[in-house]
Amino acid sequence: METLTFREPRLVALTILVLVAAGLSSLLAIGRQEDPTITNLFATVTTAYPGADPARVESLVTAEIEEELREIAEVEEISSTSATGVSIVQVELVNTLPDDQIEGVWSEIRDALADAEARFPAGALTPDFTSDNAGAYAAIVAITPAEPTAPLSIMGRYAEELADLLR
């Protein structure tokens, strides 16, 4: 019942030492950021067409925008909503798009919107393109009692009330 552990204890110890050293060096070399950068692959195009009913907005504004956006290869999904006087088109880019090419695609989409705007009817306003460069932001909120002996049930109700107000 001889195993490698019993036959070659030095080899096993060396292997473990190498694995621990590699793990520690990887841990020390990993990048850290308090608020990590998140690449945004979503955008919204809002176009106002005052006084037009939803069907008219759909056919004259939303359809033109969607037609232009479908010609861009990096656009994965287009969803739209047409309401009275407003068209909202949401754009999602492909997930495999490299980070350094995203701004170029947003620029291409802005150009496509300018082309679509040329075909809008009189009275339709310029499309508002929004691609918020999203980021992660952390906020830590703590509720501490004025009296250290305050019951947790009361503190829980105050916390729920505060959460409702913040929402």
Side-chain angles (χ1 to χ4, degrees):
M1 184 168 199
E2 281 191 22
T3 62
L4 181 66
T5 311
F6 294 120
R7 282 183 295 168
E8 301 290 339
R10 290 182 184 163
L11 182 62
V12 173
L14 179 64
T15 305
I16 291 173
L17 184 65
V18 167
L19 289 175
V20 168
L24 285 175
S25 69
S26 296
L27 182 64
L28 295 174
I30 194 167
R32 290 175 212 67
Q33 206 175 12
E34 183 177 340
D35 295 329
T37 305
I38 297 174
T39 55
N40 187 23
L41 300 175
F42 302 94
T44 304
V45 179
T46 308
T47 309
Y49 186 16
D53 60 76
R56 189 166 171 80
V57 170
E58 173 71 30
S59 63
L60 297 176
V61 176
T62 307
E64 296 293 336
I65 292 173
E66 287 179 347
E67 183 180 326
E68 286 293 330
L69 292 178
R70 281 194 186 96
E71 294 176 9
I72 300 172
E74 293 84 4
V75 173
E76 181 174 357
E77 186 177 333
I78 301 170
S79 59
S80 63
T81 304
S82 297
T84 303
V86 69
S87 164
I88 301 171
V89 179
Q90 296 172 337
V91 181
E92 179 181 351
L93 301 181
V94 293
N95 291 333
T96 57
L97 193 64
D99 292 348
D100 59 339
Q101 293 181 6
I102 292 176
E103 281 306 315
V105 174
W106 291 143
S107 177
E108 193 175 336
I109 289 175
R110 285 186 194 94
D111 294 342
L113 291 175
D115 294 343
E117 183 182 4
R119 295 191 308 267
F120 285 173
L125 303 178
T126 303
D128 178 32
F129 178 76
T130 307
S131 65
D132 341 69
N133 295 327
Y137 301 99
I140 298 174
V141 178
I143 298 177
T144 56
E147 299 177 30
T149 59
L152 290 178
S153 59
I154 293 175
M155 292 302 299
R157 276 189 263 143
Y158 283 142
E160 288 174 11
E161 208 174 300
L162 177 63
D164 288 341
L165 288 171
L166 291 174
R167 275 190 222 110

